[in-house]
Structure formats: structure tokens, C-alpha cells
Amino acid sequence: MRTLGAFFFLLTMFVVPIIASIGLIDGFSEIFANMPMDIWIKMGLTSFLWGIGVMMWSKAINHIGLSLGFSIFIGTIILVGSLLPFIEDGLPPADVLTFIMVGILIVLLGVILNGRAGLLREKNEAEHQNGEVLSGKGSMTTGIMIAVVGGLLATGFSYANAVGRPYLHEASTAQGNADWITAVAVMFPIFISGGVVMTAYFLWQLNAKKAWGEFKTPAFGKNVLLILIMAVFHYAASALFAYAAFKLGASGNTVGYAIFNTASVATAIVSGIVTKEWISASSKARNMLYGGLGCMIVGIVVVAYANGLG
């Protein structure tokens, strides 16, 4: 798993963005050579924090599992990351802001319900094992804390997108690029900066665990192909968010970010259910998980309605 993770981040954070940016952006060198240093610093620093946050999420799921870890991590990102663009974009009209805040508070309720569901699941699993927690399983409380802090750091992605888009959109269209190419341009500094910490972490892990030999496997070719497909889809999803945020208008960075991440949570929860991650949980824990997801969806509908008012 360490070798696969390292290879995935190498492809998705460096290889795919570099090829996509150089291949799709006309005037690539001129656009980035002339980007003001303060934008480079803001995007680079916040994207670096995003990379740290993602690494913390990978640690959190070791404690609390995929569906809950992803829910809390992304839920925190939604709550904080959806508000960060206001620093650059300014506050929307009062009625729009009110509905956005109400929607985000409903999402917060969903995050709380998901956290409670995870605690109940841990209790159910301990009871299933005659009071003994499974070997190698981490603390639920520790996992939740790691997921929350990681989510806070990962909101750097949202801020980097908001701070970089205005210049990159103007510079990109001045070179004759279509509007959607701006999303590719925005992803370039974000992925490169975030990739530094992600790749460094996995290289350190490979050295510490002496796991380089794990690359030698009969399935190496198949693994490379599947990881490349994952990397392309991961990058494409992020770029599509950036373009959607632009198309959504004045509050698009907030609304788009909230919708994008809530869809990710829904996918993670469904995958956790399909893989029977919650098979030992009580009906109460599962209902609470479903209720949390429902709150997130309702909250996003309210946020989307707010964008329509704008």
C-alpha cells in the first residue's frame, strides 16, 4: 500500500498536472513567469498546508475507517473551506450570506451525527469482540481529532483557488485560451506545491520501512495502469471543481466547493457500506450515519439555493 500510495501521488501531483498544463495552456511559460510573487507565495503556502492535511487524513482513516474519516475530514473542509473564499471575494448580499450560513450549519449537524455514529460503531465492534478492540485499530477520539485538524489544513486548497483564479483567468484568456483552461492553470501551482509534502512523506515512509522492494511484483504493469487512471480522474475532478466554481458566479467558490466535497462524502459513505465497513455497527449507528449524510445533502441544497438568490 505504501508503494502504491507513493506512486499515485507522484503521478497525480506532478506527472499529470505538468503534462496537462504544458499541453493545454497556450503561453504557459509567459503566464507563470509573470505571475506576481505575492500570488505565488499565497498559493504555494496554502497548497503546502493542503498537502499536510491530506496526509493527516490518511492517518485518520487508520483509526476510524474510510467512511467516517472521509466524512469528518471533508465535513471540516466544507465548513471552513467554503468560507475562506470570502477573504478574497468579499461578502455576498445579506440574504445570500444568511442562506449560505444556514446551509453550512446544517452540514455541521451532519458532521456531528457522523462523528457520533463512529463512536457508536467503535462500541459495537468492541462488544462484538467480547470487549476487546481489534488488534491494530487506533483510537476513535484520536482519529477524529486528526481528521478535523487535517481538514482545517486542507482548506488551503480552497483559498489557493480563490486567490489564484483572478490573475490566472486574465492572463490565460489574454493568451487566447478558453475559459475552462483557467481551471488547468489554477491547478498547476496547487498540485505542484501540495505534491511536495505528499511525495516527500511517502518517500520517507518507503525508506523507513525499507519497502522499495515491494515495487517488484508480477502485477506491477497492471498496478501502474490503474494508478494512472486514478491519478487522471483525481486531477480532472479538481480541475472541474475550479471551472464549476467560475461558472457558478460571484459566490461560486463557496457554493462549488461545498457541493464538490459533499458529493465526495456521499461517495465515501456508500463505499464504506458496500465494503461492509459498518457490518458490526448497530442499526442506531447506521441510522445516525445516514442521518448525517442526509443533513449534508439538505445543507448543500440550501447553499445552492443561496447561490440562486445571488
Side-chain angles (χ1 to χ4, degrees):
M1 289 299 292
R2 286 183 294 269
T3 55
L4 297 180
F7 199 67
F8 169 75
F9 280 111
L10 177 65
L11 289 178
T12 197
M13 305 306 290
F14 293 106
V15 176
V16 174
I18 290 173
I19 292 176
S21 298
I22 295 177
L24 295 174
I25 303 174
D26 291 334
F28 170 82
S29 298
E30 183 175 348
I31 290 171
F32 287 101
N34 294 323
M35 190 161 80
M37 184 55 65
D38 66 313
I39 296 180
W40 272 114
I41 293 173
K42 290 177 181 179
M43 292 190 74
L45 178 59
T46 53
S47 299
F48 188 82
L49 294 177
W50 167 57
I52 295 174
V54 172
M55 292 300 95
M56 293 185 70
W57 166 69
S58 70
K59 288 293 185 182
I61 62 175
N62 291 333
H63 291 271
I64 56 180
L66 175 62
S67 60
L68 180 62
F70 206 64
S71 297
I72 295 176
F73 175 74
I74 298 296
T76 304
I77 286 178
I78 291 171
L79 294 172
V80 180
S82 297
L83 300 179
L84 283 179
F86 290 148
I87 297 175
E88 293 293 325
D89 301 337
L91 293 176
D95 57 339
V96 176
L97 180 61
T98 297
F99 274 99
I100 287 176
M101 293 304 299
V102 169
I104 290 177
L105 287 174
I106 295 175
V107 172
L108 174 58
L109 176 59
V111 174
I112 294 172
L113 288 174
N114 285 336
R116 178 60 180 162
L119 294 172
L120 286 174
R121 191 194 76 185
E122 183 182 57
K123 180 181 178 181
N124 298 150
E125 290 177 348
E127 292 172 348
H128 186 70
Q129 296 296 318
N130 296 320
E132 296 181 4
V133 179
L134 292 171
S135 177
K137 181 174 171 54
S139 163
M140 182 66 67
T141 302
T142 299
I144 290 174
M145 289 301 297
I146 293 174
V148 170
V149 174
L152 290 173
L153 294 177
T155 57
F157 182 95
S158 174
Y159 182 78
N161 175 71
V163 76
R165 165 165 282 282
Y167 163 78
L168 288 171
H169 180 67
E170 182 178 348
S172 177
T173 53
Q175 294 290 328
N177 292 296
D179 283 342
W180 68 271
I181 293 294
T182 300
V184 179
V186 171
M187 289 302 108
F188 178 72
I190 292 178
F191 271 64
I192 297 300
S193 299
V196 170
V197 64
M198 295 182 192
T199 303
Y201 170 77
F202 275 103
L203 290 177
W204 172 73
Q205 283 282 293
L206 289 172
N207 280 324
K209 304 294 183 180
K210 295 180 172 54
W212 290 98
E214 294 179 13
F215 281 105
K216 296 179 181 179
T217 168
F220 180 75
K222 178 182 179 181
N223 289 339
V224 170
L225 177 60
L226 293 175
I227 292 171
L228 177 60
I229 293 173
M230 287 173 58
V232 170
F233 275 103
H234 176 259
Y235 173 81
S238 300
L240 282 172
F241 148 69
Y243 183 59
F246 167 72
K247 297 296 288 184
L248 284 168
S251 298
N253 287 323
T254 290
V255 174
Y257 199 65
I259 294 173
F260 172 70
N261 285 292
T262 300
S264 299
V265 172
T267 302
I269 290 177
V270 171
S271 67
I273 294 171
V274 170
T275 57
K276 300 182 179 180
E277 186 179 303
W278 288 76
I279 193 169
S280 299
S282 65
S283 58
K284 181 178 181 180
R286 290 195 298 271
N287 289 337
M288 201 163 289
L289 182 72
Y290 304 147
L293 176 61
C295 284
M296 286 185 167
I297 293 173
V298 170
I300 292 313
V301 170
V302 175
V303 171
Y305 175 72
N307 190 67
L309 290 178

